Amino acid sequence: MVQMRQSTRATRGIRVVAPGLSWALIILVALYIAVPMLCALAFSIYVPTTGFTFVPYLESVRDPGFFGALSLTLLITVLTVVGLLAIMVPTMVYLHLKAPRWRPVIEIVCTIPLVVPSIALAAGLVTVLRSMASFGRGSVPAQISQLLQNPDLPIVLVGSYIVLTLPFVFRSLDAGLRTIDLRTLVESAHSLGASGATVLRRVILPNVKGPVIFCAFFCIALCLGEFTMAVTLGYRTLPVWLTQIAGSNFRASISMSLLINALTWALLIAMTVLAGRAAPARVLALKGHKS
Amino acid sequence: MLAVARSDAPSGADSVDRAVDLVHSSPARAQRRGDSSFTGLIPFLVFIALFLGVPICGIVLSAFRVADVNDPGSYVPSLANFVASFRGASWDAMQNSLQISVIAALIGGVVGLALAQAILTTRSKKLIAVVTVLTSVLANSGGVPLAFSFIAAVGNAGIMTGLLSLTDLGFTLYSSGGLILMYQYFLIPTMVMVVLPTLAGLRLEWKEAAASVGATSWYFWKKVGLPIATPAILAGFVLLFGASFATHASAAALIGGGGVPLITLRIDSGLAGGNLAGQENVAMALGVNMIVVALVVLLIYMPLQKRSLKWFK
């Protein structure tokens, strides 16, 4: 009884205004959030002249550019997630296990992308790639520049997307590794004869599964929606393709954009629910690259 | 027997080492061991150097040089790009971006703060749980889909534009006001996300305690409530400003090249124009200006955020 009263008490905030006014404000903001999405939905399934229809969705899929944009986006997404985890999980484990003194340095390095807006990062890449190309056809810098910008496999975009996720990924993996007794786990596994790779795969990974999935979801959501770097570097990913067809067929572009948005939101919701309550410390890392 | 002993030897020696380690694993020893290890970080550092270090060096170097008039194709160090970035159309774009960001952050900050308090006032656990998830999703929404939904709702041929005859009221989405309206979509949730934990931490008990020693409600907010909430509120405002200032994707999808001057779009057009009249290098200077603004934002935000958590550890 006492406990029950205490737990209800804990959720009691201080009331500043009447609950009625509070609900009015909540409903107003909820409308502001819902109306644009509902209008977009209406646009995609209702054409004034013909009534309800799925034609815009079919048209967007039939657009000659769609499959190219989709496959490029998926390829980039897969490579980014794999590359991100391949670089960051071993690095973070190593950092916690063998090089704790380097932690502040790595933390600062991983925070830098928050300070460099993605348009500035893209501008920096453009100028570097252009000046490398200006060495002339066949020269080594020009060849590297071409390799990085391979239209079918844009390494430069994959690398940049990994960089954009770092502030978030560092915090997430760092927090995850801190909650487990890494040293004991690794030492017991070693004493049972496990190799380094086995320890990573079968001992450490299962213990940080939550943060790893969390990072992967965040990374997928970023790759599906990122526009600034892709358009500046000249790649036709899904969001870039959407803006290109919007002029000629807005209904088709808005229907596909709704689908992508729904998928992104689903990923982010799943991620947040998995992680439990979103800690305020994560706010900064979560912000900034998609808008 | 001997063979077995031998094959066991390395791991046996290892475990002795480890036992010794464990016995001596004082903090000092752990530090020393940390000191010597560095090799495992090399892949990460190489990657960072390539994809973060090189572009940053690229943008800074390009910003500080101009094409040499006497020797076409080569460059000389110069501050001319920065001078140009504070003049004419570039300066207009910078000013407009700053102005939009301040107004958008003020509106988003006030609405977000009021909304967070309103959500707490309902005392509904379910609502708070839903809001916590939704805000972290919406704070990350943006980009092309956001611009498209706003076009569908309040664009030239938008549904709400027709229903509310917004055009007659003089509203157009493709303006600074339109951008501010659209930015609220991710700004308000961001503000809620920043201030909700702090506001939720202000316990009713504190107010009751203050009341029991004779404090009025006003006095409580002045002496206890606001001082505790202020760092979080300021941190939220600064973060909102930074988010608006750096916004590119949704603005580009909404207004493209023309209409509203924005620093992000100005960098875009500078890059697209090639090195015609050195615009590319001015774009780099604008990029450096943006980095400086973002750095200031982060340096103000971080201590405020840390202080906002002080009471709730």
Side-chain angles (χ1 to χ4, degrees), chain A residues 9 14 32-33 130 228 286, chain B residues 117 140 181 185 208 280:
Chain A
R9 229 194 148 114
I14 296 171
Y32 166 79
I33 299 291
R130 276 184 192 167
T228 301
L286 272 166
Chain B
Q117 187 58 49
N140 279 293
L181 177 74
Y185 210 81
E208 286 167 356
E280 187 182 324

Side-chain angles (χ1 to χ4, degrees), chain B residues 33-286:
Chain B
R33 189 159 44 174
D35 223 353
S36 60
S37 308
F38 162 74
T39 45
L41 299 175
I42 289 174
F44 169 78
L45 292 173
V46 168
F47 169 81
I48 280 294
L50 275 180
F51 286 97
L52 188 60
V54 168
I56 292 177
C57 290
I59 194 171
V60 172
L61 287 177
S62 303
F64 283 101
R65 65 178 201 180
V66 291
D68 191 347
V69 278
N70 304 317
D71 180 10
S74 68
Y75 293 88
V76 286
S78 161
L79 287 174
N81 299 317
F82 285 95
V83 174
S85 78
F86 289 106
R87 296 234 169 98
S90 294
W91 179 231
D92 288 345
M94 175 80 160
Q95 277 182 313
N96 200 43
S97 269
L98 289 172
Q99 197 182 335
I100 287 180
S101 307
V102 168
I103 298 172
L106 276 176
I107 296 175
V110 170
V111 176
L113 183 63
L115 183 66
Q117 187 58 49
I119 288 161
L120 290 172
T121 303
T122 65
R123 293 179 184 167
S124 155
K125 264 188 176 175
K126 266 188 196 160
L127 182 71
I128 293 172
V130 169
V131 163
T132 310
V133 175
L134 271 188
T135 48
S136 74
V137 172
L138 291 173
N140 279 293
S141 70
V144 178
L146 177 66
F148 281 8
S149 344
F150 269 80
I151 293 171
V154 289
N156 277 343
I159 295 174
M160 301 315 282
T161 315
L163 282 179
L164 307 174
S165 46
L166 290 174
T167 320
D168 299 339
L169 297 172
F171 173 83
T172 168
L173 178 61
Y174 315 92
S175 63
S176 296
L179 285 176
I180 292 171
L181 177 74
M182 183 174 76
Y183 288 179
Q184 300 308 319
Y185 210 81
F186 51 86
L187 294 183
I188 294 174
T190 306
M191 187 68 182
V192 173
M193 208 154 110
V194 175
V195 296
L196 193 63
T198 300
L199 292 181
L202 290 173
R203 294 258 177 273
L204 194 59
E205 285 84 341
W206 297 355
K207 200 175 177 197
E208 286 167 356
S212 72
V213 290
T216 59
S217 177
W218 183 83
Y219 198 78
F220 165 78
W221 279 107
K222 189 185 152 199
K223 289 289 178 187
V224 183
L226 275 181
I228 290 176
T230 302
I233 294 168
L234 290 179
F237 174 75
V238 168
L239 192 63
L240 263 46
F241 170 82
S244 321
F245 190 71
T247 295
H248 170 265
S250 49
L254 182 65
I255 54 179
V260 185
L262 280 183
I263 189 166
T264 48
L265 301 181
R266 185 83 196 154
I267 294 177
D268 245 8
S269 57
L271 288 175
N275 222 351
L276 207 76
Q279 279 310 302
E280 187 182 324
N281 292 77
V282 177
M284 298 301 155
L286 286 170

Side-chain angles (χ1 to χ4, degrees), chain A residues 148-211:
Chain A
L148 288 172
Q149 295 184 83
N150 184 340
D152 299 320
L153 181 65
I155 299 172
V156 61
L157 216 47
V158 172
S160 313
Y161 286 180
I162 294 177
V163 165
L164 292 186
T165 60
L166 285 183
F168 175 82
V169 167
F170 176 88
R171 277 171 178 73
S172 175
L173 289 179
D174 189 53
L177 286 169
R178 247 190 240 179
T179 58
I180 60 175
D181 189 354
L182 195 61
R183 190 169 298 278
T184 310
L185 279 176
V186 172
E187 278 172 2
S188 347
H190 273 310
S191 70
L192 291 169
S195 69
T198 313
V199 174
L200 190 63
R201 193 165 52 86
R202 297 188 56 182
V203 178
I204 298 174
L205 265 185
N207 276 296
V208 289
K209 210 164 86 188

Side-chain angles (χ1 to χ4, degrees), chain A:
Chain A
M1 186 62 198
V2 174
Q3 273 214 318
M4 249 181 71
R5 266 187 54 196
Q6 283 214 322
S7 75
T8 49
R9 229 194 148 114
T11 60
R12 281 170 68 188
I14 296 171
R15 279 190 167 151
V16 180
V17 287
L21 262 177
S22 299
W23 278 110
L25 180 65
I26 292 167
I27 290 166
L28 213 62
V29 176
L31 277 177
Y32 166 79
I33 299 291
V35 164
M37 289 302 147
L38 293 176
C39 288
L41 183 67
F43 242 84
S44 74
I45 57 171
Y46 184 79
V47 182
T49 47
T50 53
F52 284 99
T53 172
F54 285 104
V55 169
Y57 287 88
L58 294 174
E59 279 176 357
S60 73
V61 177
R62 282 195 201 122
D63 184 89
F66 172 68
F67 274 102
L70 178 70
S71 56
L72 181 65
T73 307
L74 291 181
L75 177 73
I76 291 170
T77 307
V78 170
L79 290 179
T80 307
V81 172
V82 171
L84 172 71
L85 296 179
I87 294 173
M88 284 314 283
V89 174
T91 300
M92 291 304 293
V93 170
Y94 187 87
L95 192 65
H96 274 249
L97 212 54
K98 300 252 176 76
R101 287 194 101 186
W102 284 82
R103 197 183 157 280
V105 177
I106 304 294
E107 185 175 13
I108 290 172
V109 167
C110 286
T111 312
I112 295 175
L114 287 179
V115 181
V116 187
S118 42
I119 183 71
L121 191 62
L125 282 167
V126 166
T127 184
V128 169
L129 291 170
R130 276 184 192 167
S131 56
M132 278 164 82
S134 72
F135 278 88
R137 250 172 192 282
S139 64
V140 177
Q143 278 176 343
I144 296 174
S145 169
Q146 264 183 342
L147 173 75
L148 288 172
Q149 295 184 83
N150 184 340
D152 299 320
L153 181 65
I155 299 172
V156 61
L157 216 47
V158 172
S160 313
Y161 286 180
I162 294 177
V163 165
L164 292 186
T165 60
L166 285 183
F168 175 82
V169 167
F170 176 88
R171 277 171 178 73
S172 175
L173 289 179
D174 189 53
L177 286 169
R178 247 190 240 179
T179 58
I180 60 175
D181 189 354
L182 195 61
R183 190 169 298 278
T184 310
L185 279 176
V186 172
E187 278 172 2
S188 347
H190 273 310
S191 70
L192 291 169
S195 69
T198 313
V199 174
L200 190 63
R201 193 165 52 86
R202 297 188 56 182
V203 178
I204 298 174
L205 265 185
N207 276 296
V208 289
K209 210 164 86 188
V212 166
I213 293 175
F214 200 55
C215 292
F217 279 20
F218 181 77
C219 182
I220 296 171
L222 182 130
C223 291
L224 291 179
E226 207 285 335
F227 173 77
T228 301
M229 306 225 40
V231 78
T232 311
L233 293 166
Y235 291 104
R236 211 175 189 208
T237 55
L238 277 179
V240 176
W241 165 78
L242 282 177
T243 58
Q244 288 169 349
I245 65 161
S248 58
N249 191 344
F250 185 66
R251 284 182 199 275
S253 69
I254 205 159
S255 52
M256 187 49 66
S257 115
L258 265 178
L259 288 181
I260 297 170
N261 206 32
L263 182 60
T264 317
W265 282 16
L267 282 167
L268 292 171
I269 290 174
M271 182 185 103
T272 317
V273 171
L274 274 177
R277 236 163 51 81
R282 246 180 251 130
V283 169
L284 182 61
L286 272 166
K287 269 307 297 172
H289 294 301
K290 273 202 62 197
S291 49

